[in-house]
Amino acid sequence: MNKLVSFFLLIIAMMLISCGETPKIDLIVHNARIYTVNENFDIVEAMAIDNGKIIAVGAENEIKNKYLANEYLDAQQMTIYPGFIDAHCHYFGYASLLQELDLTGTKSFDEILQKTKNYTKTNKQEWIIGRGWDQNDWKETNFPTKERLDKEFPTTPILLMRIDGHAALVNQKALDMAKINLKTIITGGVVEIKNGMLTGILIDNAIDEIKKYIPKKSKKDAINELLIAQQKLIEVGLTTIDEAGIDQEQIELIEQLHESNQLKLKIYAMISSTEELLNYYLKKGPYKTNRLSVCSFKFYADGALGSRGACLLQPYSDDNSNHGLILTDKSFLKKYASLLYQKGFQMNTHCIGDSANQLILSIYKEVLKTTNDKRWRIEHAQVIDSSQFEVFANYNIIPSVQPTHATSDMYWAINRLGNERIKMAYAYKKLMQQNGLIALGTDFPVEQINPMLTFYAATERKDTLGNPPNGFQKENALTRQEALKGMTIWAAMANFEEKEKGSLEVGKSADFVLLNQAILEVEPSAILHTKVLKTFINGENVYSNIQ
């Protein structure tokens, strides 16, 4: 009898030991080609996930023998990558545009006028708000004027933003509401006048005078817009986005949506650099939650190249009376650069022209003094004087660029810059080589949201039509591995988040995407046809287009 009891006790003990040796976890991903993007750029077969974190990566048998899971994902030998990070975008702007008049891709002002008329038939609102036109894509490349808007819409204020957000066409009703007239002078902005008349074109800070009069949308509408936009973003594999300039109310709305678990996307928020917001958040200090990072401020040095607001050291090649605009007073920039340094915030500054880049780099140099780990960023870094590249290396400044800007702008940028200056524009390889990293984004809604377009433009330096055949300034193309890092681990580093995301390693968040093809291996033209099959954030499957 005692032997029988001992036997059963031994069996129970063995079962308990066995259970202890085979923990039950949330998810095992297997039969995959997982690009970890770790230091060695290892490719593994499987990974184990529990409580939103990666707890093991390695060979399939090794993972399956070590763990039992509530769920198994058989990837069927398809490829998995870290969740994509858009290092510079405008989430709130994109969300709004989805509900507004979309003028992207319009080929003439006639088309804009017709779209505006069609829009008003189904959208009865106090204001007509639109965005997306680009006169550089038209046969007549001059800015449009407001006369036809005034005739068709004499009583409804209209604001039609250029695609870059740095120029706008408004009608007389909007000008009247904002009290803008021939005598109006706006620092850091232009109210265009031709033949003694207002044309309706406003550039940079002048646009803000109009925006003050646009009715504020309800919180319910704002939430609805953000959640619709979120769905589109996770469908293309984005798991973290860097929102380039938002205010306190918007940050608090993100926090509320995260707390209610409606918003799955992780947000790196750059705080807009108004004096009020600077004073508030400098006092509050940087902070992070599981899905939100508030540790940086977004400043504007100049405008955009397409609207000739980018500030250049020498005049525009196609407008020799114009150097562009500096949007923010130098003393303001210097004052707050010093305060940000003291309080531990990143300074992220929009710089397009070589003059703007030189100005901000000189301020960064003065404050940073030497090599450092402050990770201050230059957003866009679009046109750099040849003498300034080494400043990025000497002071560990991170370039945050948008590869599709190069392939969108290449048809007309040479007209703005000329044959010599264009060689120092969109120089992503040269910028990457300064510190061994570069952060990649899209600036959506200026460009499309799809990270595959970023990857293709960065590596091939071609637009979606395959032009130019040999690539635009191909010497500044990134390798595929570099481009992938720019959309994952390097972008995470630019956000001070490389210890928690950007690669698929033990201890990091289980943010990853399953793609239908290996983007590091397929023919270049096939990259544009890549599909996201699944998106995971913190181990949760937030999007799937396969069973």
Side-chain angles (χ1 to χ4, degrees), residues 284-336:
K284 184 180 178 71
Y287 68 96
K288 276 180 65 67
T289 69
N290 187 36
R291 299 185 189 221
L292 173 67
S293 174
V294 183
C295 67
S296 68
F297 282 88
K298 166 74 177 300
F299 290 79
Y300 282 91
D302 64 345
L305 197 66
S307 52
R308 296 186 183 87
C311 194
L312 302 177
L313 292 169
Q314 301 299 323
Y316 278 83
S317 296
D318 57 359
D319 183 1
N320 60 19
S321 65
N322 181 17
H323 282 76
L325 296 167
I326 289 294
L327 303 187
T328 308
D329 185 78
K330 183 177 180 180
S331 62
F332 182 91
L333 293 166
K334 291 181 69 173
K335 171 186 174 181
Y336 282 106

Side-chain angles (χ1 to χ4, degrees), residues 438-479:
I438 193 167
L440 304 183
T442 62
D443 203 14
F444 70 70
V446 178
E447 302 285 353
Q448 295 182 53
I449 63 175
N450 192 347
M452 289 302 100
L453 300 181
T454 299
F455 187 83
Y456 181 73
T459 55
E460 295 302 312
R461 303 280 287 199
K462 297 178 182 180
D463 64 16
T464 55
L465 299 176
N467 294 319
N470 295 322
F472 169 62
Q473 300 184 171
K474 191 67 183 288
E475 68 274 11
N476 270 301
L478 302 177
T479 68

